[in-house]
Amino acid sequence: MRVLVTGTSGFIGRALVADLAGRSFDVRPILREASDPPPGLRPVATEGLEPAAQGLPKADVLVHLAAANPVRGDALWQDEAALRRANVDHALGLARAAAEAGVRRFVFASSAAVYPPSGSLPFDEAHPPAPTTAYGRSKLEAEAALGALARDLGLGLTILRLAPVYGIGARSGMMALARLAARPMPLPFGRARAPRSYLSLRNAVHGVVTAVTYAGAAGGIYNLADPQPLSTAELLTLMRSGLGRAPALVPVPATLLRGAALAAGRRADWERLFAPFVIDTQRARDELEWIPPETPQEAVPAFARAVSRG
């Protein structure tokens, strides 16, 4: 099976091409100008931020991981137009080029950011989207536009809504938590007990590979997350257990920390620590027979150790 992959310079893309190559797939990275291909792989085309991808070879599947995913404070954080160009227009250009090249299926890495930022019940794929960030809105717009285009072109489209992915190389709050866990001091998160969904790098790659190899995935939208959600208190406990330390979590009332966060204009940060956010992965388990290969009890301590080693 020949698989084209974008975003191979990112931490998910690097792990994905290594996994696919290890399974003897014919993996072809699609690279931006001035990017180097992963070791042992030959690039087939170049891609800029504009929606023009020329010269794609015929392949079975194209996996589109490349995206602009700014963190708070980046210049693109609230730049709706730039994110639309990078995450919507570019995806549509690739889909058209893929269809013209005879690619049969297009796997699009979307995000759980299309859902509301918190909720008391797990969000399944049928839950009404309500993104609150420019990034989440661009991903939702890309999903809708790709769905319409795929129907017109007869292209099999699979959409994967990934929970926040953690691993070395990620630009995420999990990295900040891991660095915080490594500090030898008590932390005020003993009452941060709301469950939240996360996704280890290994589980993310396994989910994408499952979508690539399972032809019945075409036409579906699937949430991907670790088998069990974790609260911030549970995350820090697992991280510190991986470092051989006691949790040392102080039960400071969440209302006090919320007031401080609101005063500092950091409501979103407070929600990521204290508010529930769980996505339901039952559809992926039932329809794709996806079984994540590792539990958070295995992945999180190992992640914390890797961060501490630098």
Side-chain angles (χ1 to χ4, degrees), residues 180-190 236 240 245-252:
L180 196 60
R183 295 183 178 181
M185 63 182 186
L187 298 173
F189 301 116
L236 289 167
R240 285 189 159 173
R245 294 180 179 175
L249 301 180
V250 180
V252 176

Side-chain angles (χ1 to χ4, degrees), residues 108-126:
F108 177 61
S110 187
S111 169
V114 302
Y115 296 117
S118 64
S120 58
L121 296 176
F123 299 128
D124 64 14
E125 293 85 352

Side-chain angles (χ1 to χ4, degrees), residues 11-12 15-16 19 23 65 160-167 174 197-212 222-230 281 284-285 288-300 303:
F11 84 112
I12 300 176
L16 177 63
D19 186 285
R23 298 171 188 261
L65 296 176
L160 303 178
R161 291 175 174 171
L162 279 61
V165 181
Y166 59 96
M174 285 283 274
S197 288
Y198 300 96
L199 181 62
S200 76
L201 176 59
R202 183 182 175 195
N203 287 342
V205 168
H206 189 269
V208 176
V209 171
T210 299
V212 166
Y222 301 97
N223 290 338
L224 298 183
D226 283 347
Q228 301 91 29
L230 296 173
T281 61
R285 296 198 300 271
L288 306 184
E289 299 181 355
W290 178 56
I291 302 175
E294 66 181 354
T295 67
Q297 288 74 21
E298 297 165 329
V300 173
F303 170 63

Side-chain angles (χ1 to χ4, degrees), residues 33-304:
E33 292 82 355
S35 296
D36 294 324
L41 298 178
R42 180 168 57 88
V44 298
T46 59
E47 49 159 323
L49 288 179
E50 295 304 317
Q54 303 297 325
L56 292 183
K58 185 174 182 179
D60 298 284
V61 184
L62 189 153
V63 179
H64 184 37
L65 296 176
N69 184 8
V71 297
R72 185 178 296 276
D74 284 355
L76 290 180
W77 175 250
Q78 295 181 337
D79 193 333
E80 303 269 359
L83 288 171
R84 183 176 295 110
R85 287 193 299 272
N87 295 341
V88 182
D89 296 345
H90 186 48
L92 292 174
L94 280 170
R96 291 189 187 96
E100 290 173 4
V103 176
R104 297 199 295 264
R105 292 200 293 123
F106 191 97
V107 177
F108 177 61
S110 187
S111 169
V114 302
Y115 296 117
S118 64
S120 58
L121 296 176
F123 299 128
D124 64 14
E125 293 85 352
H127 192 282
T132 59
T133 64
Y135 169 73
R137 288 188 288 272
S138 73
K139 283 295 190 178
L140 182 61
E141 184 178 344
E143 287 186 10
L146 283 170
L149 182 64
R151 287 189 293 272
D152 290 343
L153 299 177
L155 182 66
L157 173 66
T158 302
I159 294 172
L160 303 178
R161 291 175 174 171
L162 279 61
V165 181
Y166 59 96
I168 296 300
R171 299 174 68 203
S172 69
M174 285 283 274
M175 287 291 291
L177 277 179
R179 295 189 183 104
L180 196 60
R183 295 183 178 181
M185 63 182 186
L187 298 173
F189 301 116
R191 292 189 180 176
R193 295 290 179 184
R196 296 187 63 83
S197 288
Y198 300 96
L199 181 62
S200 76
L201 176 59
R202 183 182 175 195
N203 287 342
V205 168
H206 189 269
V208 176
V209 171
T210 299
V212 166
T213 56
Y214 188 70
I221 299 176
Y222 301 97
N223 290 338
L224 298 183
D226 283 347
Q228 301 91 29
L230 296 173
S231 68
T232 299
E234 290 169 328
L235 270 176
L236 289 167
T237 296
L238 285 172
M239 287 176 176
R240 285 189 159 173
S241 73
L243 300 173
R245 294 180 179 175
L249 301 180
V250 180
V252 176
T255 52
L256 292 180
L257 295 176
R258 183 176 185 273
L262 292 177
R266 307 297 292 268
R267 176 174 180 172
D269 292 334
W270 182 89
E271 286 185 335
R272 282 191 289 270
L273 293 169
F274 287 91
F277 178 80
V278 178
I279 61 173
D280 187 332
T281 61
Q282 191 66 47
R283 177 181 289 179
R285 296 198 300 271
D286 289 347
E287 296 184 10
L288 306 184
E289 299 181 355
W290 178 56
I291 302 175
E294 66 181 354
T295 67
Q297 288 74 21
E298 297 165 329
V300 173
F303 170 63

